[in-house]
Amino acid sequence: MRSIAGFYRTGTATQGGFGETLIDFNAGNAFNCLTTRTKRGDASVAGSCFADVLSEHIALTENECSALERLEERNRTLRRGSVLRRSNDAADELFMLRAGTMMTYVLLDDGSRQILRFHFPGDMLGLSTLLYEEAPETICALTECTVCPFEKSSLSELIVEHPRLASMILVYGQIERVALTDRLAALGRTSAKARVGSLLLELRNRLRATDKRVSDSFTLGLTQEEIGDATGLTAVHVNRMLRQLEEERLIAREGGRVTIVDEAALMRATNYVDRYCDLDLGWLPQGR
Amino acid sequence: MRSIAGFYRTGTATQGGFGETLIDFNAGNAFNCLTTRTKRGDASVAGSCFADVLSEHIALTENECSALERLEERNRTLRRGSVLRRSNDAADELFMLRAGTMMTYVLLDDGSRQILRFHFPGDMLGLSTLLYEEAPETICALTECTVCPFEKSSLSELIVEHPRLASMILVYGQIERVALTDRLAALGRTSAKARVGSLLLELRNRLRATDKRVSDSFTLGLTQEEIGDATGLTAVHVNRMLRQLEEERLIAREGGRVTIVDEAALMRATNYVDRYCDLDLGWLPQGR
DNA sequence: CGGATACTTGACAGGACTCAATACAAGTGG
DNA sequence: CCACTTGTATTGAGTCCTGTCAAGTATCCG
């Protein structure tokens, strides 16, 4: 029984590849990272990756760009598997993800994990910690990452000075919200196969947004246990679903790479919708 | 099999109590509602229920209050069961819920329904339609309701003129987002009993926020089918879970009323967290 | 009172979980 | 270079939670 009071999972394999950082709440993960200051004029590090994302939709003013750059002045690198902020940690900072992929998850008190969201460059992390003194979620690096921490007060200033950027932050919050409702519907009302399939589609699309070279084939970068924790399944069952998708020629696998073979069929089978598409931003206020 | 292509549910009982408004896509639901203009000086209708909600956390300025009132100038009443906006409708307006309870849901193409969220007075509805030309979700009245429609452009002006209100809209969006992640974790990683229990707790808490007289006992106002569509279960299994909760003396039922008998135990059993509590709003900009 | 909707209960089936064993890959240390 | 360890993937067998189907009861309302 997946008991509420008991332990849903036990043993060492439970916590996946990041055992020590997930389990050991005393581990000083702050020491897994380096904080540096972006050198002015260093083109490869300067600029703002959030600005890059926004530029896909609107033409930013110079003032807006420099305001966004100010949010990303500090840089911190994270090793694969290290935890940026743990659930119930004091939540004083927000982050902009500059490079790498991350995830947020919660651990329930029976030890099971639900992965809530995967993050890609240009994502703002920890917006929810604006509201709560303690972080509701754990944020963790799936690959080597660079993040830019900034203060709540900086965001507050940005909202006052730049209503259009405030609106875009609202917009990205809503995209996330709608993407979450899609996943809610998937967990509540679709089969295991459809859940796994739609996760693959989402990962492909989000990777492609970062790296235009990604087409149908991409390196997953997730263990089957992680896929399971994102889709509400067990690793064993994820394995079987991947096999089925492969047998039905919807996807192909080799090594760590997944290829989406029949995208149309996969989308039909999963109800997947790309929520980053077709935004209507005509109502935005003027940029300053 | 809960087939992707097939029909998960068939028959007349499928669509719940609101059959005609859910099924008949040609029904002119616009005619189910009356739009009126709030009379100036009519204290019972004037004011802003969103302002009331915000006042619990911050002291609004006069300018802020009147700006919020402007969003709620128009009133529209909805009959129980009528649809305010259907998924894929053109999404031109937003709404403030003034009175009654509503829900948003999506229908998957196998006919199954996932209820995403329940709404109570003071909630802003349809924020997601800011972004998309077509509404991603259906919004439907669970009881007789009053909503106030307003334009995207009005929201845009509000963001420019009132940074603190913009921040609060962002905050409420984030509360919803976190509440959704809680439900995601519930669907992905908790038992049917825990899901039903946490839904009861959430409904109680949200009802209590509107009506202080609500304590442990409240009228549910949902069918078991609706509870199922919110928790990812079937109506039959919801029934069994309610019975079990009752047998374990966590809740009691009579007529349409539910009483939370052992709140502490129920909270332990469900991991429920009230996300409307303990907000940290010290970072907010000054009100204008 | 009749019809519709909602609730309840039982029997059964099946999808997903659990447990367990094996295979495979990568890294470590001697 | 090879044992050894650790983490991940794969596969099979058995169990159980939840869905399906069906029938009966309760409730509401015109």
Side-chain angles (χ1 to χ4, degrees):
Chain A
M1 174 192 177
R2 202 197 276 163
S3 154
I4 297 166
F7 277 81
Y8 171 41
R9 297 166 175 187
T10 51
T12 53
T14 297
Q15 302 290 356
F18 309 146
E20 83 283 7
T21 49
L22 286 182
I23 292 173
D24 184 357
F25 276 53
N26 297 313
N29 279 297
F31 302 115
N32 281 345
C33 34
L34 286 168
T35 302
T36 59
R37 186 161 291 273
T38 302
K39 275 175 275 179
R40 301 272 170 191
D42 182 342
S44 69
V45 193
S48 156
C49 50
F50 191 47
D52 293 343
V53 169
L54 296 187
S55 299
E56 307 250 316
H57 298 291
I58 57 178
L60 293 170
T61 68
E62 246 178 59
N63 280 336
E64 286 175 328
C65 280
S66 59
L68 290 175
E69 277 172 27
R70 239 169 289 138
L71 292 186
E72 299 180 33
E73 276 181 339
R74 286 183 292 157
N75 276 289
R76 182 188 295 182
T77 59
L78 299 170
R79 292 191 324 211
R80 164 171 166 80
S82 64
V83 170
L84 178 56
R85 178 162 52 216
R86 203 181 309 278
S87 174
N88 298 324
D89 276 3
D92 40 0
E93 290 177 318
L94 307 181
F95 305 92
M96 202 68 83
L97 178 52
R98 179 181 280 276
T101 63
M102 305 189 72
M103 62 175 172
T104 57
Y105 60 82
V106 290
L107 292 176
L108 304 194
D109 41 354
D110 64 353
S112 63
R113 174 175 71 169
Q114 175 68 48
I115 296 178
L116 303 171
R117 193 122 181 87
F118 296 103
H119 303 287
F120 297 85
D123 282 4
M124 195 181 280
L125 305 181
L127 247 189
S128 61
T129 56
L130 261 185
L131 334 178
Y132 302 110
E133 309 230 351
E134 298 185 350
E137 315 150 335
T138 302
I139 311 175
C140 173
L142 281 166
T143 65
E144 181 103 12
C145 285
T146 308
V147 298
C148 305
F150 61 92
E151 304 295 321
K152 293 180 186 180
S153 56
S154 307
L155 186 65
S156 177
E157 284 167 30
L158 188 77
I159 291 171
V160 174
E161 300 294 331
H162 295 286
R164 187 165 70 156
L165 296 180
S167 304
M168 286 307 289
I169 291 170
L170 189 67
V171 163
Y172 272 86
Q174 288 300 315
I175 293 175
E176 273 206 38
R177 201 191 67 86
V178 175
L180 279 171
T181 63
D182 288 341
R183 295 191 51 216
L184 193 71
L187 290 206
R189 290 295 184 216
T190 73
S191 67
K193 204 198 296 179
R195 288 184 235 172
V196 173
S198 69
L199 181 61
L200 294 179
L201 282 170
E202 174 163 356
L203 289 173
R204 198 277 311 262
N205 285 359
R206 299 224 54 201
L207 282 170
R208 188 164 57 181
T210 307
D211 180 354
K212 307 296 182 195
R213 290 167 306 176
V214 173
S215 57
D216 293 336
S217 184
F218 61 101
T219 45
L220 198 39
L222 296 178
T223 66
Q224 294 179 353
E225 174 135 28
E226 285 160 349
I227 298 175
D229 285 342
T231 52
L233 302 168
T234 57
V236 173
H237 206 59
V238 167
N239 185 292
R240 289 194 257 256
M241 294 303 103
L242 287 171
R243 163 157 309 285
Q244 279 194 32
L245 289 171
E246 199 173 16
E247 281 168 1
E248 294 169 16
R249 310 230 179 282
L250 297 176
I251 66 168
R253 293 183 298 162
E254 51 173 337
R257 288 188 76 78
V258 172
T259 305
I260 295 181
V261 174
D262 189 343
E263 177 161 354
L266 195 56
M267 288 192 61
R268 249 177 290 125
T270 60
N271 304 100
Y272 177 72
V273 181
D274 186 344
R275 296 304 185 178
Y276 287 81
C277 277
D278 299 329
L279 300 186
D280 166 29
L281 300 175
W283 55 275
L284 284 177
Q286 285 266 290
R288 285 186 187 162
Chain B
M1 175 194 178
R2 200 195 279 165
S3 156
I4 296 165
F7 277 81
Y8 171 40
R9 295 167 178 187
T10 51
T12 54
T14 297
Q15 302 291 355
F18 310 147
E20 83 282 9
T21 49
L22 285 181
I23 292 173
D24 183 358
F25 275 54
N26 297 314
N29 279 296
F31 301 114
N32 281 344
C33 35
L34 285 169
T35 302
T36 58
R37 185 161 290 275
T38 302
K39 274 176 278 181
R40 301 272 169 193
D42 181 344
S44 69
V45 193
S48 154
C49 51
F50 190 48
D52 293 343
V53 169
L54 296 188
S55 299
E56 306 250 315
H57 298 291
I58 57 178
L60 294 170
T61 68
E62 246 177 61
N63 281 336
E64 286 175 328
C65 281
S66 58
L68 290 176
E69 278 172 26
R70 241 169 287 137
L71 292 186
E72 299 180 33
E73 277 182 339
R74 286 184 292 156
N75 278 289
R76 184 187 293 181
T77 58
L78 298 170
R79 293 193 324 210
R80 163 172 167 80
S82 63
V83 171
L84 178 58
R85 179 160 52 214
R86 204 182 308 280
S87 174
N88 297 324
D89 277 2
D92 41 0
E93 291 178 316
L94 307 181
F95 305 92
M96 201 68 83
L97 178 53
R98 178 181 279 276
T101 65
M102 304 189 74
M103 62 175 172
T104 59
Y105 58 83
V106 290
L107 291 176
L108 304 194
D109 42 356
D110 65 352
S112 62
R113 175 175 70 169
Q114 175 68 48
I115 295 177
L116 303 170
R117 192 124 182 86
F118 296 102
H119 303 287
F120 297 86
D123 282 5
M124 194 181 281
L125 304 182
L127 249 189
S128 60
T129 56
L130 260 186
L131 333 177
Y132 302 111
E133 310 230 349
E134 297 185 350
E137 316 150 336
T138 301
I139 312 176
C140 173
L142 282 165
T143 64
E144 180 103 12
C145 285
T146 307
V147 299
C148 304
F150 60 92
E151 305 295 322
K152 294 179 184 179
S153 56
S154 307
L155 186 66
S156 177
E157 285 167 29
L158 188 77
I159 292 171
V160 174
E161 299 295 331
H162 295 286
R164 186 165 70 157
L165 296 181
S167 304
M168 285 308 289
I169 291 170
L170 188 68
V171 163
Y172 272 85
Q174 288 301 314
I175 293 176
E176 273 206 36
R177 202 191 68 85
V178 175
L180 279 171
T181 63
D182 288 341
R183 295 191 51 215
L184 193 72
L187 290 206
R189 290 295 185 216
T190 73
S191 68
K193 203 197 299 181
R195 288 184 234 170
V196 172
S198 70
L199 180 61
L200 293 179
L201 282 169
E202 175 163 356
L203 288 174
R204 198 278 308 263
N205 285 358
R206 298 224 56 203
L207 282 170
R208 189 164 55 183
T210 307
D211 180 354
K212 306 297 183 195
R213 291 167 305 175
V214 173
S215 57
D216 293 336
S217 183
F218 60 102
T219 46
L220 197 37
L222 296 177
T223 66
Q224 293 179 355
E225 174 135 28
E226 285 160 349
I227 297 175
D229 285 342
T231 52
L233 302 168
T234 57
V236 174
H237 206 59
V238 167
N239 185 292
R240 289 193 263 254
M241 294 303 104
L242 287 171
R243 164 157 308 286
Q244 278 193 34
L245 290 170
E246 200 174 14
E247 279 168 3
E248 293 169 17
R249 311 232 178 278
L250 297 176
I251 66 167
R253 292 183 296 161
E254 50 172 340
R257 290 188 74 79
V258 172
T259 305
I260 295 180
V261 174
D262 190 342
E263 178 161 355
L266 195 55
M267 289 193 60
R268 251 177 287 124
T270 60
N271 303 101
Y272 177 73
V273 181
D274 187 345
R275 297 302 184 180
Y276 288 82
C277 277
D278 300 328
L279 301 186
D280 166 27
L281 301 175
W283 55 274
L284 283 177
Q286 284 265 289
R288 282 184 189 163

